[in-house]
């Protein structure tokens, strides 16, 4: 694609990303709904504020990502593979959110548990095993097929997901202990679920029945891993 076309696409996507940010900019209703879906039935105002802050940290980068990712896609030859662009926007938004959380606002309550979190506190071992299996299978399949751009996408998503899980475990505690754990778990599980679904979303348009099956299984895995898990809050209570 010519660079003038790439620039045009980037501008359009940037405007789209800005509009999406305005539509999805979280408020009290969004924060309360997030906590309720994850098992915190009567969150306090402070808990809701922490959840809203968590969502804002992730979504603030969306406009920039919608501008930059189409350009990057054209450079590495994936401009026409839309699913990876959406997944990378969500993954990188999550990564930036966890990085921002390393410097929480001075107004944030700091009464969360100071005990060191472990990986299994935020994501179950079976999900990590599934992540390893799907990422390894995707890398092998696309490398064998000579689709090195897809290999780069699968590997990159795996690295970003691993980074998000590590940051979710290590970042400073803030707010109520249960809310703190729920938000960490959500970050780790969403990143893991998205990455599990990536290999099946990169097949060519002329997909076989087996490819469709892999794609559907990836979506199911995404829903199971990344969907709200009320058990996280129950285990932390």
């Amino acid at each position: 694609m010519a660079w003038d076309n790439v620039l045009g696409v980037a501008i359009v996507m940037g405007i789209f990303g800005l509009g999406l940010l305005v539509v999805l900019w979280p408020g009290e209703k969004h924060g309360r709904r997030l906590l309720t879906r994850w098992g915190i039935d009567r969150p306090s105002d402070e808990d809701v504020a922490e959840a809203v802050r968590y969502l804002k940290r992730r979504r603030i980068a969306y406009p920039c990502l919608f501008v930059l990712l189409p350009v990057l896609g054209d450079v590495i030859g994936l401009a026409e593979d839309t699913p990876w662009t959406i997944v990378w926007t969500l993954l990188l938004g999550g990564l930036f959110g966890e990085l921002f959380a390393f410097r929480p606002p001075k107004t944030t309550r700091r009464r969360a548990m100071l005990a060191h979190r472990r990986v299994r506190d935020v994501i179950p071992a079976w999900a990590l095993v599934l992540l390893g299996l799907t990422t390894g299978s995707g890398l092998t399949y696309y490398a064998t097929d000579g689709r090195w751009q897809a290999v780069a996408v699968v590997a990159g998503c795996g690295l970003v997901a691993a980074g998000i899980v590590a940051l979710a475990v290590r970042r400073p505690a803030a707010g109520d202990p249960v809310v703190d754990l729920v938000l960490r778990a959500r970050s780790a599980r969403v990143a893991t679920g998205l990455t599990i679904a990536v290999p099946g979303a990169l097949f060519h348009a002329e997909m076989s029945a087996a490819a469709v099956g892999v794609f559907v299984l990836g979506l199911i895995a995404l829903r199971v891993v990344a969907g709200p898990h009320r058990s996280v809050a129950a285990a932390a209570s």
Side-chain angles (χ1 to χ4, degrees):
M1 184 184 296
W3 278 106
D4 55 342
N5 292 336
V6 173
L7 181 60
V9 171
I11 293 174
V12 171
M13 293 300 291
I15 295 174
F16 173 77
L18 185 60
L20 187 65
L21 179 65
V22 171
V23 172
L24 296 180
W25 191 247
E28 178 181 345
K29 178 180 67 175
H30 303 86
R32 191 175 301 278
R33 182 172 59 188
L34 185 156
L35 296 179
T36 301
R37 294 179 66 189
W38 280 80
I40 302 175
D41 295 322
R42 290 183 291 275
S44 66
D45 292 341
E46 291 83 0
D47 296 337
V48 172
E50 187 65 34
V52 171
R53 189 178 298 112
Y54 166 89
L55 292 172
K56 287 180 178 179
R57 287 169 177 159
R58 277 142 189 80
R59 296 177 183 177
I60 192 66
Y62 282 3
C64 292
L65 292 173
F66 271 105
V67 171
L68 296 176
L69 289 177
V71 178
L72 176 62
D74 183 74
V75 170
I76 66 176
L78 283 171
E80 297 181 358
D81 287 308
T82 304
W84 84 268
T85 306
I86 299 173
V87 170
W88 268 78
T89 298
L90 297 175
L91 281 175
L92 290 177
L95 179 63
F96 292 149
E98 290 302 313
L99 288 172
F100 293 154
F102 265 87
R103 298 189 63 181
K106 294 180 180 179
T107 56
T108 301
R109 293 180 304 147
R110 304 303 298 274
R111 63 182 180 89
M113 289 186 298
L114 299 179
H116 176 65
R117 298 291 188 185
R118 298 165 298 180
V119 172
R120 67 182 183 216
D121 291 330
V122 299
I123 189 166
W126 63 264
L128 294 176
V129 171
L130 186 57
L131 172 64
L133 289 174
T134 54
T135 301
S137 299
L139 291 174
T140 301
Y141 175 82
Y142 291 119
T144 303
D145 199 38
R147 293 184 58 192
W148 301 110
Q149 299 95 336
V151 169
V153 170
V154 173
C157 288
L159 290 174
V160 173
I164 291 175
V165 172
L167 291 170
V169 171
R170 299 294 301 176
R171 66 176 170 81
D176 178 82
V178 178
V179 173
D180 179 70
L181 179 58
V182 162
L183 297 180
R184 292 172 190 266
R186 182 183 185 274
S187 293
R189 290 173 183 248
V190 169
T192 300
L194 286 170
T195 304
I196 288 172
V198 163
L202 291 173
F203 284 105
H204 287 302
E206 50 277 5
M207 297 193 341
S208 65
V212 173
V214 171
F215 177 70
V216 172
L217 289 175
L219 293 181
I220 293 173
L222 168 61
R223 177 65 182 86
V224 172
V225 175
H229 291 268
R230 297 179 64 86
S231 58
V232 176
S237 301

